[in-house]
Amino acid sequence: MRKAFISPTKYVQGENELLNLGYFVKTFGEKALLIANQDDVNRVREKLEKTAAKFGVEFIETNFHGEASRVEASRLQELAKKESCDCIIGLGGGKAIDTAKVVAEGKNLIIVPTIVATDAPTSHSAVLYTEAGEFDDYAYFMQSPSVVLIDTTIIAQAPTRFLVSGMGDALSTYFEARATSRAFANVNAGLPCGAREGVCPPAKSTNTALALAKLCYETLLEDGYKAKEASDLNVVTPALENIIEANILLSGLGFESGGLAAIHAIHDGLTILHDAHGATHGEKVAFGVICQLILENAPSKELYEVLDFSLSIGLPVCLEDIGVKSITDEQLTEVAEKSCIPEESIHSMPFKVDVEQVKSAIKVADALGRDYKLRKQEK
């Protein structure tokens, strides 16, 4: 059996670590294309100026448009060529990071998250969206980022919603890795040449990936609430550091080498709902966790453990929590159909899943989540 595991070349996490960014740029050259929206650049400008001066490097700003689309990536690739940049930096949230991956095409890439809302930073894959913000496709590259650099003081200053959203994304890691392992399904780590059929032989997950995914879940349960409290106060604590690592490193390695299943497929289906566009990736994923647990008829103890955790930190447990106050049967069918297209990860479940099953799981997850939330509020 062929197995595969993939990871970034270097992961560095610590307080004020952004001051060392210039050192890593210097390993590639002297000029870096900085893909980040202007607000994120302004938040960290003082540190960028200090590290540029200290290490003698130059950052080329790009006025990133905010959507990880093919159109935006093409524009930035032309800019990188025009400016003769030696490396690419993706600084900010998931959209800037994924755009940087597309622009870099797997080479000389430094990822600097300013929020930990998704597990995108460590992976060799990117999620592409249309200009309108709907899910488009996945892109895969030859390798994971060269450097992932985390400044925990910056993360602590970010709105807590982003940290909680990242925990929503990380919450899916163990359950999807477990399902993929049980199904002996293929994982993205085995596709360094891209997702095209026949280019690279498929690979299964490793015990290492599943162990990391399980540790991710255990860390969330242990430190999630404490980390949220630290974030609310804009301070760095051991619990916050552990959750930053869980959101980015454990979840990133866990999903990519452990596999995706129904949760992220249902997330992709939910993106077609206009009312859900205000919810973050991780918030929609968190609801998808409940849907997958319903699909696989997970033990009640496990289901209610997830619900309790989600409610304790403010993650969605029903459709209304992601902005969808009502949904027609036609809309629900469209969500389920998109979740079940041939390319989707839902087919990595250890049993066959069809559109009607997904519709039923979403309905039950929504009703169960609403009821459980109401009962908790009444106590």
Side-chain angles (χ1 to χ4, degrees), residues 154-197:
I154 293 172
I155 304 302
Q157 294 298 316
T160 299
R161 183 187 180 189
F162 293 126
L163 181 80
V164 172
S165 177
M167 286 193 267
D169 203 16
L171 184 61
S172 71
T173 307
Y174 171 60
F175 299 111
E176 292 192 286
R178 183 179 69 181
T180 301
S181 178
R182 288 174 176 174
F184 293 96
N186 297 329
V187 297
N188 291 346
L191 293 169
C193 301
R196 294 168 293 163
E197 184 177 355

Side-chain angles (χ1 to χ4, degrees), residues 37 76 94 103 119 134 180 186 203 215 263 340 346:
N37 70 47
L76 295 175
V103 174
D119 52 16
E134 291 187 5
T180 301
N186 297 329
L215 177 59
I263 297 168
C340 292
I346 202 164

Side-chain angles (χ1 to χ4, degrees), residues 96-113:
I97 288 169
D98 279 354
T99 302
K101 292 177 186 177
V102 178
V103 174
E105 296 181 330
K107 300 176 182 178
N108 297 10
L109 175 62
I110 302 173
I111 298 299
V112 185

Side-chain angles (χ1 to χ4, degrees), residues 197-336:
E197 184 177 355
V199 174
C200 293
K204 313 301 179 184
S205 66
T206 60
N207 292 334
T208 299
L210 185 58
L212 290 173
K214 186 177 182 181
L215 177 59
C216 180
Y217 181 58
E218 292 169 348
T219 303
L220 291 174
L221 296 183
E222 177 63 30
D223 288 324
Y225 181 78
K226 290 179 288 183
K228 177 185 177 298
E229 292 295 296
S231 179
D232 284 341
L233 296 171
N234 303 124
V235 296
V236 177
T237 64
L240 180 62
E241 290 175 335
N242 288 345
I243 289 301
I244 291 170
E245 182 180 341
N247 282 10
I248 296 180
L249 187 60
L250 292 176
S251 184
L253 299 183
F255 99 77
E256 190 160 46
S257 292
L260 299 176
I263 297 168
H264 272 78
I266 291 172
H267 160 274
D268 295 342
L270 291 170
T271 65
I272 72 170
L273 298 176
H274 181 270
D275 289 346
H277 285 184
T280 66
H281 171 84
E283 288 166 348
K284 291 191 283 284
V285 166
F287 176 66
V289 172
I290 302 169
C291 295
Q292 178 173 308
L293 292 178
I294 296 297
L295 263 180
E296 57 190 5
N297 195 27
S300 295
K301 180 181 178 181
E302 185 173 74
L303 175 61
Y304 290 114
E305 182 177 68
V306 168
L307 285 168
D308 282 334
F309 170 74
S310 296
L311 289 172
S312 75
I313 63 171
L315 281 172
V317 296
C318 60
L319 287 172
E320 185 176 13
D321 289 346
I322 61 170
V324 182
K325 295 182 179 180
S326 63
I327 186 169
T328 65
D329 187 71
E330 182 181 3
Q331 289 174 316
L332 188 57
T333 298
E334 289 177 1
V335 169

